Amino acid sequence: MKEIKNLLIHSPNWLGDIIMSMPAIYLIKEKYKDIKITVMAKKSMLSIFKVNDLVDDYIELKNFPSLRKYHFDAVLIFPNSFESAFRIFGHGIKNRIGYKADYRSFMLTDAVDRKEVRWIHTSDYYINLLKAIDIYETRPHLKLEIKDELLNKAKEYLKTVNPENKKIFAYGIGATNSFGKIWKEENFAEVANYLSNKYDALTLFITTPNEKEISDKISAMLLKEPIIPYMSLDMIAAILSLCNGFIGNDSGAMHIASIVGIPTLALYFATPAGLNYPIGINSHAIEKKVDNPACICGGKKCKLETFECRDIIKPQEVINKFELIICNK
Protein backbone atom coordinates (compact mmCIF):
# COMPACT_ATOMS: atom_id res chain seq x y z
CA MET A 1 0.00 0.00 0.00
CA LYS A 2 1.21 3.49 -0.79
CA GLU A 3 2.14 5.75 2.10
CA ILE A 4 -0.91 7.01 3.95
CA LYS A 5 -1.29 10.76 4.50
CA ASN A 6 -4.89 11.20 5.64
CA LEU A 7 -6.28 8.33 7.72
CA LEU A 8 -9.70 7.87 9.31
CA ILE A 9 -10.04 5.50 12.24
CA HIS A 10 -13.48 4.20 13.13
CA SER A 11 -13.06 3.85 16.87
CA PRO A 12 -14.37 0.97 18.97
CA ASN A 13 -17.58 1.76 20.82
CA TRP A 14 -16.64 0.96 24.41
CA LEU A 15 -14.20 2.93 26.54
CA GLY A 16 -12.05 -0.06 27.49
CA ASP A 17 -11.74 -1.10 23.85
CA ILE A 18 -10.86 2.48 22.89
CA ILE A 19 -7.99 2.47 25.39
CA MET A 20 -6.81 -0.88 24.06
CA SER A 21 -6.82 0.49 20.50
CA MET A 22 -4.38 3.28 21.41
CA PRO A 23 -1.19 1.21 21.02
CA ALA A 24 -2.25 0.53 17.43
CA ILE A 25 -2.73 4.25 16.81
CA TYR A 26 0.67 4.93 18.36
CA LEU A 27 2.32 2.45 15.97
CA ILE A 28 0.66 4.15 13.01
CA LYS A 29 2.07 7.53 14.10
CA GLU A 30 5.51 5.95 14.44
CA LYS A 31 5.39 4.38 10.97
CA TYR A 32 3.88 7.29 9.08
CA LYS A 33 5.53 10.39 10.53
CA ASP A 34 3.59 12.98 8.53
CA ILE A 35 0.22 11.31 8.73
CA LYS A 36 -2.98 13.07 9.77
CA ILE A 37 -5.17 10.79 11.90
CA THR A 38 -8.85 11.57 12.39
CA VAL A 39 -10.87 9.43 14.75
CA MET A 40 -14.61 8.90 14.51
CA ALA A 41 -16.16 7.97 17.85
CA LYS A 42 -19.25 8.38 19.98
CA LYS A 43 -19.72 11.91 21.27
CA SER A 44 -19.41 10.68 24.86
CA MET A 45 -16.02 9.12 24.05
CA LEU A 46 -14.36 11.85 21.99
CA SER A 47 -12.72 13.64 24.91
CA ILE A 48 -10.52 10.65 25.80
CA PHE A 49 -8.70 11.24 22.51
CA LYS A 50 -8.00 14.84 23.54
CA VAL A 51 -5.73 13.81 26.40
CA ASN A 52 -2.65 14.06 24.17
CA ASP A 53 -1.60 14.43 20.52
CA LEU A 54 -2.09 10.82 19.47
CA VAL A 55 -4.99 11.91 17.24
CA ASP A 56 -5.13 15.07 15.11
CA ASP A 57 -8.86 15.54 14.53
CA TYR A 58 -12.22 14.19 15.65
CA ILE A 59 -15.56 13.37 14.08
CA GLU A 60 -18.66 12.49 16.06
CA LEU A 61 -19.97 9.07 15.12
CA LYS A 62 -23.31 9.23 13.34
CA ASN A 63 -25.34 6.69 11.39
CA PHE A 64 -24.95 8.63 8.14
CA PRO A 65 -21.81 10.76 8.37
CA SER A 66 -20.64 13.09 5.62
CA LEU A 67 -17.08 11.98 4.95
CA ARG A 68 -16.26 12.87 1.34
CA LYS A 69 -15.29 16.44 2.22
CA TYR A 70 -12.35 15.16 4.31
CA HIS A 71 -10.67 13.37 1.38
CA PHE A 72 -9.44 10.43 3.44
CA ASP A 73 -7.18 8.06 1.52
CA ALA A 74 -7.69 5.16 3.95
CA VAL A 75 -9.87 4.07 6.85
CA LEU A 76 -9.26 1.53 9.59
CA ILE A 77 -12.48 0.06 10.96
CA PHE A 78 -11.77 -1.34 14.42
CA PRO A 79 -15.28 -2.62 15.27
CA ASN A 80 -16.29 -5.97 13.77
CA SER A 81 -19.89 -5.05 13.01
CA PHE A 82 -21.69 -4.85 9.67
CA GLU A 83 -22.98 -1.44 10.75
CA SER A 84 -19.50 0.06 11.14
CA ALA A 85 -18.46 -0.97 7.62
CA PHE A 86 -21.77 0.20 6.16
CA ARG A 87 -21.27 3.57 7.83
CA ILE A 88 -18.01 4.01 5.89
CA PHE A 89 -19.02 2.43 2.59
CA GLY A 90 -19.90 4.79 -0.25
CA HIS A 91 -17.91 7.84 0.89
CA GLY A 92 -15.15 7.57 -1.69
CA ILE A 93 -12.43 6.31 0.65
CA LYS A 94 -10.17 4.25 -1.56
CA ASN A 95 -8.73 1.91 1.07
CA ARG A 96 -11.20 0.44 3.57
CA ILE A 97 -9.60 -1.93 6.05
CA GLY A 98 -11.27 -4.15 8.62
CA TYR A 99 -11.68 -7.72 9.75
CA LYS A 100 -13.74 -10.30 7.89
CA ALA A 101 -16.80 -10.42 10.12
CA ASP A 102 -20.57 -10.03 10.13
CA TYR A 103 -20.96 -10.56 6.34
CA ARG A 104 -19.35 -7.22 5.52
CA SER A 105 -16.33 -8.20 3.41
CA PHE A 106 -17.86 -6.84 0.19
CA MET A 107 -17.70 -3.33 1.68
CA LEU A 108 -13.98 -3.58 2.46
CA THR A 109 -11.03 -3.32 0.08
CA ASP A 110 -8.85 -5.14 2.63
CA ALA A 111 -10.85 -7.74 4.53
CA VAL A 112 -8.37 -9.21 7.00
CA ASP A 113 -8.89 -12.81 8.10
CA ARG A 114 -9.20 -13.15 11.86
CA LYS A 115 -9.40 -16.91 12.35
CA GLU A 116 -5.98 -17.20 13.96
CA VAL A 117 -6.24 -14.03 16.07
CA ARG A 118 -9.88 -14.03 17.16
CA TRP A 119 -9.04 -14.92 20.76
CA ILE A 120 -5.86 -12.94 21.35
CA HIS A 121 -5.71 -9.88 23.60
CA THR A 122 -7.94 -7.09 22.29
CA SER A 123 -5.05 -4.65 21.97
CA ASP A 124 -3.06 -7.16 19.90
CA TYR A 125 -6.17 -7.89 17.84
CA TYR A 126 -6.28 -4.25 16.74
CA ILE A 127 -2.54 -4.19 16.09
CA ASN A 128 -2.80 -7.28 13.89
CA LEU A 129 -5.11 -5.30 11.59
CA LEU A 130 -2.20 -2.95 10.84
CA LYS A 131 -0.55 -5.58 8.66
CA ALA A 132 -2.82 -4.27 5.92
CA ILE A 133 -0.90 -0.98 6.05
CA ASP A 134 2.54 -2.58 6.31
CA ILE A 135 2.99 -2.38 10.08
CA TYR A 136 4.23 -5.59 11.69
CA GLU A 137 5.31 -4.36 15.12
CA THR A 138 4.29 -5.88 18.44
CA ARG A 139 2.45 -3.98 21.14
CA PRO A 140 4.54 -1.18 22.66
CA HIS A 141 4.69 -0.46 26.40
CA LEU A 142 2.59 2.67 26.24
CA LYS A 143 1.98 5.30 28.89
CA LEU A 144 -0.52 7.98 27.96
CA GLU A 145 1.11 11.35 28.55
CA ILE A 146 -1.34 14.11 29.53
CA LYS A 147 -1.26 17.53 27.88
CA ASP A 148 0.15 20.19 30.22
CA GLU A 149 -2.95 22.37 30.02
CA LEU A 150 -5.19 19.48 31.02
CA LEU A 151 -2.83 18.29 33.73
CA ASN A 152 -2.76 21.78 35.27
CA LYS A 153 -6.57 21.84 35.39
CA ALA A 154 -6.55 18.51 37.18
CA LYS A 155 -3.97 19.77 39.68
CA GLU A 156 -6.09 22.83 40.40
CA TYR A 157 -9.14 20.66 40.98
CA LEU A 158 -7.29 18.37 43.36
CA LYS A 159 -6.04 21.36 45.35
CA THR A 160 -9.65 22.21 46.15
CA VAL A 161 -10.53 18.70 47.39
CA ASN A 162 -7.11 17.78 48.79
CA PRO A 163 -5.56 20.96 50.18
CA GLU A 164 -3.24 18.98 52.46
CA ASN A 165 -1.84 17.05 49.48
CA LYS A 166 -2.57 13.63 50.94
CA LYS A 167 -2.26 10.39 49.01
CA ILE A 168 -5.29 9.58 46.87
CA PHE A 169 -6.41 6.06 46.07
CA ALA A 170 -8.97 5.79 43.30
CA TYR A 171 -11.62 3.11 42.89
CA GLY A 172 -13.51 2.12 39.76
CA ILE A 173 -16.72 1.06 41.47
CA GLY A 174 -19.00 0.62 38.43
CA ALA A 175 -19.19 -1.21 35.12
CA THR A 176 -21.49 -0.05 32.34
CA ASN A 177 -24.46 -2.35 31.71
CA SER A 178 -22.86 -5.23 33.67
CA PHE A 179 -23.98 -5.47 37.28
CA GLY A 180 -22.21 -8.80 37.68
CA LYS A 181 -18.83 -7.18 36.95
CA ILE A 182 -19.22 -4.90 39.97
CA TRP A 183 -17.32 -6.09 43.03
CA LYS A 184 -19.49 -6.28 46.13
CA GLU A 185 -20.03 -2.83 47.67
CA GLU A 186 -19.10 -3.97 51.19
CA ASN A 187 -15.77 -5.20 49.85
CA PHE A 188 -14.93 -1.87 48.25
CA ALA A 189 -15.79 -0.10 51.51
CA GLU A 190 -13.61 -2.43 53.59
CA VAL A 191 -10.59 -1.95 51.33
CA ALA A 192 -11.06 1.82 51.05
CA ASN A 193 -11.37 2.22 54.83
CA TYR A 194 -8.26 0.14 55.45
CA LEU A 195 -6.10 2.00 52.94
CA SER A 196 -7.45 5.38 54.01
CA ASN A 197 -6.56 4.69 57.64
CA LYS A 198 -3.17 3.10 57.08
CA TYR A 199 -1.85 5.62 54.56
CA ASP A 200 -3.83 8.70 55.68
CA ALA A 201 -5.20 8.72 52.15
CA LEU A 202 -8.26 10.16 50.50
CA THR A 203 -10.72 7.98 48.61
CA LEU A 204 -11.76 8.90 45.08
CA PHE A 205 -14.52 7.16 43.13
CA ILE A 206 -14.48 6.95 39.35
CA THR A 207 -18.13 6.52 38.54
CA THR A 208 -21.08 8.10 36.70
CA PRO A 209 -24.36 9.65 37.86
CA ASN A 210 -26.10 6.51 36.56
CA GLU A 211 -24.26 4.52 39.24
CA LYS A 212 -25.28 6.79 42.11
CA GLU A 213 -27.06 3.99 43.95
CA ILE A 214 -23.81 2.03 44.08
CA SER A 215 -21.67 5.01 45.09
CA ASP A 216 -24.18 6.02 47.78
CA LYS A 217 -24.20 2.52 49.22
CA ILE A 218 -20.40 2.36 49.43
CA SER A 219 -20.12 5.94 50.69
CA ALA A 220 -22.47 5.17 53.57
CA MET A 221 -20.00 2.53 54.78
CA LEU A 222 -16.90 4.72 54.55
CA LEU A 223 -15.26 6.44 57.49
CA LYS A 224 -14.54 9.50 55.32
CA GLU A 225 -16.52 11.05 52.48
CA PRO A 226 -15.14 10.10 49.04
CA ILE A 227 -14.21 12.46 46.24
CA ILE A 228 -16.45 11.89 43.22
CA PRO A 229 -15.45 13.93 40.13
CA TYR A 230 -18.26 13.77 37.57
CA MET A 231 -16.16 15.10 34.70
CA SER A 232 -15.29 14.51 31.05
CA LEU A 233 -13.07 11.56 30.20
CA ASP A 234 -10.02 13.69 29.47
CA MET A 235 -10.24 15.27 32.93
CA ILE A 236 -10.79 11.85 34.51
CA ALA A 237 -7.61 10.64 32.82
CA ALA A 238 -5.68 13.66 34.06
CA ILE A 239 -7.00 13.28 37.62
CA LEU A 240 -6.20 9.57 37.67
CA SER A 241 -2.65 10.25 36.51
CA LEU A 242 -2.14 12.21 39.73
CA CYS A 243 -3.50 9.49 42.03
CA ASN A 244 -1.32 7.05 43.95
CA GLY A 245 -3.09 3.90 42.86
CA PHE A 246 -6.30 2.41 41.52
CA ILE A 247 -8.45 -0.62 42.34
CA GLY A 248 -11.41 -1.41 40.16
CA ASN A 249 -13.74 -3.66 38.23
CA ASP A 250 -13.21 -4.81 34.65
CA SER A 251 -14.31 -1.47 33.21
CA GLY A 252 -13.31 1.51 31.11
CA ALA A 253 -12.23 3.42 34.19
CA MET A 254 -9.78 0.66 35.04
CA HIS A 255 -8.27 0.80 31.56
CA ILE A 256 -7.81 4.57 31.81
CA ALA A 257 -6.02 4.21 35.16
CA SER A 258 -3.84 1.53 33.64
CA ILE A 259 -2.73 3.48 30.58
CA VAL A 260 -1.91 6.69 32.47
CA GLY A 261 0.67 4.65 34.35
CA ILE A 262 -0.44 4.60 37.99
CA PRO A 263 -0.36 1.33 40.00
CA THR A 264 -3.54 -0.44 38.88
CA LEU A 265 -5.21 -3.55 40.25
CA ALA A 266 -8.06 -4.96 38.14
CA LEU A 267 -10.59 -7.43 39.53
CA TYR A 268 -11.91 -10.19 37.25
CA PHE A 269 -14.57 -12.59 38.45
CA ALA A 270 -17.46 -12.44 35.96
CA THR A 271 -15.26 -12.00 32.89
CA PRO A 272 -11.94 -13.57 31.83
CA ALA A 273 -8.84 -11.43 32.09
CA GLY A 274 -7.09 -12.95 29.08
CA LEU A 275 -8.56 -10.82 26.27
CA ASN A 276 -8.88 -7.60 28.26
CA TYR A 277 -6.02 -7.59 30.75
CA PRO A 278 -4.95 -3.96 31.45
CA ILE A 279 -2.09 -2.88 29.21
CA GLY A 280 -0.46 -0.18 31.35
CA ILE A 281 3.14 -0.27 32.54
CA ASN A 282 2.26 -0.94 36.20
CA SER A 283 -0.94 -2.96 35.90
CA HIS A 284 -1.94 -6.14 37.67
CA ALA A 285 -5.01 -8.31 38.11
CA ILE A 286 -6.71 -10.75 40.43
CA GLU A 287 -8.82 -13.30 38.57
CA LYS A 288 -11.05 -15.83 40.32
CA LYS A 289 -14.00 -17.89 39.15
CA VAL A 290 -16.96 -19.48 40.85
CA ASP A 291 -16.67 -23.26 40.57
CA ASN A 292 -19.92 -23.68 38.67
CA PRO A 293 -20.26 -24.35 34.91
CA ALA A 294 -23.37 -22.17 34.81
CA CYS A 295 -21.31 -19.08 35.62
CA ILE A 296 -20.63 -17.83 32.10
CA CYS A 297 -22.81 -14.72 31.98
CA GLY A 298 -20.02 -12.20 31.51
CA GLY A 299 -21.56 -10.08 34.23
CA LYS A 300 -24.84 -9.31 32.50
CA LYS A 301 -27.44 -11.94 33.39
CA CYS A 302 -26.64 -14.40 36.14
CA LYS A 303 -28.16 -17.80 35.38
CA LEU A 304 -27.97 -18.60 39.09
CA GLU A 305 -29.69 -15.28 39.86
CA THR A 306 -27.31 -14.83 42.77
CA PHE A 307 -24.29 -13.02 41.26
CA GLU A 308 -22.23 -14.91 43.83
CA CYS A 309 -19.09 -14.22 41.81
CA ARG A 310 -19.18 -10.62 43.06
CA ASP A 311 -17.95 -11.86 46.41
CA ILE A 312 -15.47 -14.55 45.37
CA ILE A 313 -12.51 -12.16 45.63
CA LYS A 314 -12.07 -11.20 49.27
CA PRO A 315 -10.97 -7.77 50.56
CA GLN A 316 -7.82 -9.08 52.24
CA GLU A 317 -6.62 -10.58 48.94
CA VAL A 318 -7.03 -7.20 47.31
CA ILE A 319 -5.31 -5.34 50.13
CA ASN A 320 -2.33 -7.73 50.12
CA LYS A 321 -1.88 -7.52 46.35
CA PHE A 322 -2.34 -3.76 46.18
CA GLU A 323 0.16 -3.07 48.94
CA LEU A 324 2.74 -5.14 47.11
CA ILE A 325 2.11 -3.10 43.97
CA ILE A 326 2.34 0.33 45.56
CA CYS A 327 5.39 -0.62 47.61
CA ASN A 328 7.28 -1.92 44.57
CA LYS A 329 6.23 0.67 42.00
Side-chain angles (χ1 to χ4, degrees):
M1 182 178 290
K2 293 181 180 179
E3 188 170 342
I4 300 170
K5 294 292 186 182
N6 190 13
L7 174 68
L8 173 65
I9 293 177
H10 188 315
S11 170
N13 295 316
W14 297 103
L15 179 57
D17 288 346
I18 288 172
I19 298 299
M20 289 185 284
S21 74
M22 287 182 173
I25 301 174
Y26 173 84
L27 290 175
I28 296 168
K29 293 283 274 189
E30 287 290 295
K31 168 78 173 182
Y32 298 103
K33 299 295 185 183
D34 298 324
I35 196 172
K36 178 181 180 182
I37 296 179
T38 301
V39 68
M40 182 166 66
K42 291 180 180 179
K43 185 177 181 180
S44 60
M45 299 293 167
L46 283 176
S47 66
I48 194 62
F49 291 102
K50 300 178 181 180
V51 168
N52 63 11
D53 297 319
L54 199 59
V55 168
D56 302 294
D57 205 354
Y58 322 91
I59 298 174
E60 180 184 342
L61 188 150
K62 297 179 180 179
N63 285 335
F64 302 102
S66 177
L67 299 176
R68 285 185 178 273
K69 61 184 177 181
Y70 296 100
H71 305 292
F72 296 117
D73 48 44
V75 56
L76 274 173
I77 306 172
F78 281 144
N80 295 318
S81 65
F82 182 94
E83 180 185 17
S84 58
F86 183 72
R87 187 176 287 118
I88 298 298
F89 189 64
H91 290 275
I93 303 176
K94 185 177 179 182
N95 300 295
R96 302 179 300 278
I97 303 155
Y99 278 115
K100 291 180 182 178
D102 208 15
Y103 305 101
R104 66 184 192 163
S105 294
F106 73 94
M107 293 184 284
L108 305 173
T109 58
D110 292 89
V112 179
D113 195 297
R114 62 176 187 157
K115 289 180 181 178
E116 295 184 3
V117 298
R118 182 66 186 93
W119 304 111
I120 65 174
H121 191 280
T122 302
S123 187
D124 298 322
Y125 182 73
Y126 294 136
I127 289 173
N128 183 71
L129 196 60
L130 304 186
K131 293 176 182 178
I133 55 173
D134 300 325
I135 296 176
Y136 298 90
E137 304 296 325
T138 57
R139 188 201 322 165
H141 295 288
L142 184 62
K143 178 183 176 182
L144 206 61
E145 300 294 339
I146 312 292
K147 288 180 179 177
D148 288 342
E149 179 183 355
L150 189 60
L151 198 60
N152 289 335
K153 286 182 181 179
K155 289 177 180 177
E156 289 301 313
Y157 167 73
L158 289 179
K159 282 181 183 177
T160 66
V161 295
N162 184 21
E164 297 178 6
N165 196 30
K166 294 183 177 182
K167 289 180 181 292
I168 300 176
F169 294 128
Y171 301 84
I173 61 173
T176 304
N177 298 326
S178 299
F179 175 75
K181 290 166 64 174
I182 298 172
W183 199 37
K184 198 172 181 180
E185 292 87 349
E186 289 83 353
N187 293 343
F188 268 122
E190 183 175 336
V191 171
N193 282 332
Y194 173 87
L195 294 175
S196 176
N197 275 339
K198 181 169 181 178
Y199 296 95
D200 191 25
L202 300 184
T203 297
L204 185 145
F205 287 168
I206 302 297
T207 185
T208 69
N210 293 333
E211 297 162 341
K212 191 173 187 303
E213 183 178 350
I214 296 168
S215 62
D216 284 350
K217 185 175 179 180
I218 301 172
S219 297
M221 293 182 278
L222 295 183
L223 301 175
K224 301 175 185 176
E225 193 74 18
I227 305 164
I228 306 179
Y230 292 133
M231 295 184 180
S232 59
L233 292 175
D234 54 345
M235 274 296 290
I236 291 297
I239 290 168
L240 278 173
S241 74
L242 299 170
C243 291
N244 298 95
F246 176 95
I247 299 170
N249 305 312
D250 174 14
S251 65
M254 177 273 292
H255 285 289
I256 294 178
S258 169
I259 204 168
V260 298
I262 64 172
T264 297
L265 180 58
L267 309 178
Y268 292 88
F269 40 88
T271 51
L275 302 186
N276 299 301
Y277 193 94
I279 61 176
I281 57 176
N282 193 9
S283 297
H284 309 263
I286 296 176
E287 181 179 18
K288 295 185 77 173
K289 297 294 180 186
V290 173
D291 187 17
N292 190 317
C295 293
I296 53 172
C297 73
K300 295 186 178 181
K301 188 174 181 180
C302 180
K303 291 185 178 181
L304 303 178
E305 299 183 356
T306 60
F307 287 104
E308 62 186 80
C309 63
R310 297 180 64 224
D311 196 33
I312 192 170
I313 299 175
K314 300 303 180 183
Q316 195 59 51
E317 296 177 75
V318 173
I319 289 168
N320 292 345
K321 180 80 170 179
F322 188 67
E323 289 194 303
L324 282 175
I325 294 168
I326 60 175
C327 290
N328 295 319
K329 66 177 181 177

